[in-house]
Amino acid sequence: MVEAIRDAMDVSMQRDENVVVFGEDVGYFGGVFRCTQGLQQKFGTSRCFDTPISELGIVGVAVGMAAYGLRPCVEIQFADYMYPGYDQIVSEVARLRYRSNGEFTAPLVVRMPTGGGIFGGQTHSQSPEALFVHVAGLKTVVPSNPYDAKGLLIAAIEDNDPVIFLEPKRLYNGPFDGHHDRPVTPWSRHAQGEVPDGHYTVPLGKAAIRREGAAVTVLAYGTMVFVAEAAAAETGIDAEVIDLRTLLPYDLETIVASVQKTGRCVIVHEATLTGGYGAELAALVQEHCFYSLEAPIARVTGWDTPYPHAQEWDYFPGPARVGRALKAVMEA
Amino acid sequence: MSDAGRLSFHVPAPAVRPGGTPDFSDVKIPPAGEVRRPEVDVAAEEIRDLAYSIIRVLNRAGEAIGPWAGRLSKDELLEGLRHMMTLRAFDARMLMAQRQGKTSFYMQHMGEEAVSCAFRKALAPGDMNFPTYRQAGLLIAGGYPMAKMMAQIYSNELDPLKGRQLPIMYSSREHGFFSISGNLATQFVQAVGWAMASAMKRDTKIAAGWIGDGSTAESDFHAALVFASTYKAPVVLNIVNNQWAISTFQGIARGGSGTFAARGLGFGMPALRVDGNDYLAVHAVAKWAVERARRNLGPTLIEYVTYRVGAHSTSDDPTAYRPKTESDAWPLGDPVLRLKQHLIRLGVWSEERHKQAEAEILATVIETQREAEAHGTLHSGPHPSARDMFEGVYEAMPPHLRRQRQQAGV
Ligand SMILES: Cc1ncc(C[n+]2csc(CCOP(=O)(O)OP(=O)(O)O)c2C)c(N)n1
Ligand SMILES: [Mg+2]
């Protein structure tokens, strides 16, 4: 997935000389996850460069550049470190179009690795997507595989609105279904690991059905898509697994059609429960599918604690917990 | 177009990259003993030049010279050497333990041992440090049990932080060591707040803030300087300039400021630069700044000029961004070897005693490690429970969390 993300920036930088890439350790070294490796050598230090360690600075100058006419695609080293830049994101990036009535806009992308599963403790594991979805004016994307990552990132860079692009870091080197005691399978052995050369997009706002099923709808994104697939396989429950891909704007049509078909819904995310994106999904399903529902909607999420270090696998909502929720809604 | 011509975009770059010959000719190093030692109540504007020089005590021959010398007894120096050697041995063993899969992560101090070890000896009981992840010398020189550090690193059943924190993110109020945050720079301004509180309460304690060269770019750094300067807070603000911030050379954070210490000048703060690989110089400058703070004369900004010899962390490979031999070319040498040489020169130490001490220290570290491992390592043996994960989020567990803990079945 690292290569796919890099390729998306490479393709975009080739097609549009206004696309610039920067962040901490992003230039010469190519990023701590190597997502920008080679871009500085290829496009020069005016198009891809290292910044001081200031997330506020990174997002703030991106707004200024975007106002000038560039299309910055910036990296925050970990989503956990975006908070110093959050004021710029919320008060500036998100509202620039609105407050200037379109005179100034911020067509920029803020990429950041998200989620746990790497024993990173509380400052390398967070999933702050709800903090972005809650802000009017932002689009929020979470890819789950290399094919989508490339297509969605190109679409995000080309979008005229600001996009928060959250990359599940546990998926960088291969799909992960939560079975942490099993060997890692590389993307090369996965269907969506195949990434076409050159330019293509995956449209923002469109979900994908990863597994068709009739018994229950599972709404998931990022790493949890694979966890949900594993839970369906292991419980033998005929679940329909939907990969939301874009959290905002969300694909209501696909969600509603599926829940109306199955009559049951389980929502899975790694972020904490309370006030999480799952709450929004549950409200939407309730509003639009109430008369089709045959069981209460269930949520499987990270617990409402900071992300612990040693207890990583007690915290991570793995296939066993998702499987139990599937069984519970089937029996309800 | 005006006759000013077209603009161009400037991005600083280090003198050398992998494949090149290490070059530190731009690091201007004055001879040891040359920089004057002002009185502690000196006005900041009278010592602006000290922000651009380097205070050094130990010369190449291992002699302690100049106005900053002569402040430590032989026993204190021998103890300092032992602390640095202990930290080095501790790092070596913990790095190895990480490679053996006994923990997830580690960060070492190689080359920077003098900074935190010597600084700690300038403080008094009750003073509080707000450290980064590269000041474990504050704990070692402060007498914190190594066994507890290891328990934290292993997230084992004796981990005082219950497995919640990433390895090396220690915390010990008793030892004047504020809980380490993974979010860079946040502690720098908090140190100022602690110091302000001490002044507000007419206490006698002072605080010390710590930050890396790269992290001075964060707003927290600038907020710390403005608050410290406005309220004349009794705080020592320490910048550890080890030349690198992961792969990013210090010029990216420093920008057009000649030195990091010079950042303090605009805030009207005394700002000193010191040889961070010189135990005596670090201690003497720390003492000076601590005394200023204690005498209610306000904050001091100190830049320690040093070099990060090892990788940033166990997740990093520096050969990708700097010459392999760069650390050998570092002109300020190795802090352990320099103090050893000085002690030999004083006639209180010898090569044999050094070797013997090295072996003794290593044996102690290994023995402590053996005991720590009997209480578990990250992936095997006894460990904090899943119950511990739900504790301590709030003073009293709210009902929703109690319900979640029940659901988790722990
Ligand atoms: C707010 C924030 N941004 C980014 C990071 C990622 N990060 C961890 S250490 C580091 C480099 C810090 O360099 P420096 O301040 O020079 O300290 P050193 O590691 O050299 O001691 C970075 C960018 C972080 N931990 N927190
Ligand atoms: Mg540094």
Side-chain angles (χ1 to χ4, degrees), chain B residues 259-316:
Chain B
T259 67
F260 286 95
R263 294 260 189 247
L265 300 182
F267 293 91
M269 207 180 280
L272 286 71
R273 247 175 132 226
V274 53
D275 178 345
N277 291 16
D278 178 340
Y279 187 92
L280 287 82
V282 170
H283 182 267
V285 171
K287 261 276 193 244
W288 188 90
V290 166
E291 195 188 332
R292 258 184 70 77
R294 191 96 61 205
R295 288 222 226 141
N296 212 30
L297 296 165
T300 306
L301 185 66
I302 306 176
E303 173 184 348
Y304 301 89
V305 183
T306 181
Y307 185 84
R308 193 197 81 209
V309 174
H312 170 72
S313 73
T314 47
S315 313
D316 176 46

Side-chain angles (χ1 to χ4, degrees), chain A residues 24-25 53 55 77 81 84, chain B residues 133-134 182-184 212-215 218 242 244-246 308 312:
Chain A
E24 295 157 18
D25 301 295
I53 302 172
E55 293 72 18
Q77 201 162 85
Y81 302 141
Chain B
Y133 44 70
R134 233 186 280 282
N183 298 65
L184 294 172
D213 47 76
S215 307
E218 293 283 9
N242 62 5
W244 290 94
I246 309 185
R308 193 197 81 209
H312 170 72

